[in-house]
Amino acid sequence: MQNEDMYQLLIKMKDGDQQSFHTMYDATYHDIYRTVSFLVDHQQDREDVMNEIYMQMWTSLANYDTNRPFHFWLNGLVIRQVQRFRVKGWRRFRIFERVRVFSREESHWDQPTVLMEGTNQMISQSIRKLTDKQRTVIILRFFHDYTLEETATLLDIPLGTVKSRYHAGLQALRKSLGDLPRERMEMINDY
């Protein structure tokens, strides 16, 4: 979606246009879900976080500064919602919900195209093995192309901390992916 189209949708959304919200949702949910899927382990928890992100987007839209990039603002909401999820410890209170999840039909979020679109399976598995803090920095850097400075701003932490997590995460990924055959490593390096 072009920036101008996005800007027009944001104006309509600020005026309360629900159809514009649905259009914005359709344009952003694949990318946002991919980020959330790397940061939150369980399916039901991902759906809860996704719901919270879009509810927060709708309610915080009045505070959005249209002079700033929308995706940067939206990814800030994603990071804050994931952090809130972790702090609250929702998993302890979701036991009954998990039983319900196992008994219902597969969700549209589980579609491989949503979860792994543009992502190499082996890299994906290696990223999931990183610590939460390393994983967050790696995802923002490689999937959203934020600079380390932008990542520091988004996470509201010092640049040195971002650099430390980034380098530790890269080192762990290299170690994890280092056991692959030479041909496979060349494919990953091209990624």
Side-chain angles (χ1 to χ4, degrees), residues 72 140-141 144-153 159 162:
F72 189 78
L140 291 174
R141 178 71 185 107
H144 297 288
D145 292 325
Y146 290 127
T147 64
L148 296 177
E149 292 81 10
E150 289 172 326
T151 301
T153 301
L159 178 60
V162 171

Side-chain angles (χ1 to χ4, degrees), residues 10-101:
L10 291 171
I11 291 172
K12 290 178 183 177
M13 286 172 57
K14 281 187 172 187
D15 292 337
D17 183 7
Q18 291 185 1
Q19 183 57 41
S20 296
F21 175 80
H22 291 297
T23 305
M24 181 67 73
Y25 175 86
D26 291 340
T28 59
Y29 84 91
H30 287 284
D31 189 41
I32 297 303
Y33 184 74
R34 183 172 61 172
T35 300
V36 169
S37 70
F38 277 111
L39 299 176
V40 178
D41 291 330
H42 299 288
Q43 177 64 32
Q44 179 63 38
D45 296 337
R46 289 179 196 149
E47 290 182 20
D48 289 343
V49 171
M50 288 294 292
N51 289 334
E52 291 294 325
I53 289 167
Y54 282 100
M55 285 188 339
Q56 185 68 37
M57 182 179 83
W58 181 257
T59 59
S60 301
L61 202 55
N63 301 330
Y64 170 64
D65 177 9
T66 54
N67 295 323
R68 297 187 69 203
F70 174 73
H71 286 286
F72 189 78
W73 178 76
L74 183 57
N75 281 311
L77 290 178
V78 171
I79 297 303
R80 285 189 294 282
Q81 288 302 326
V82 169
Q83 288 172 340
R84 283 185 188 136
F85 164 76
R86 290 180 183 149
V87 169
K88 288 180 180 179
W90 288 355
R91 287 184 217 156
R92 287 177 285 171
F93 303 109
R94 305 301 289 190
I95 294 171
F96 295 110
E97 290 293 323
R98 293 202 196 294
V99 171
R100 186 179 59 83
V101 167

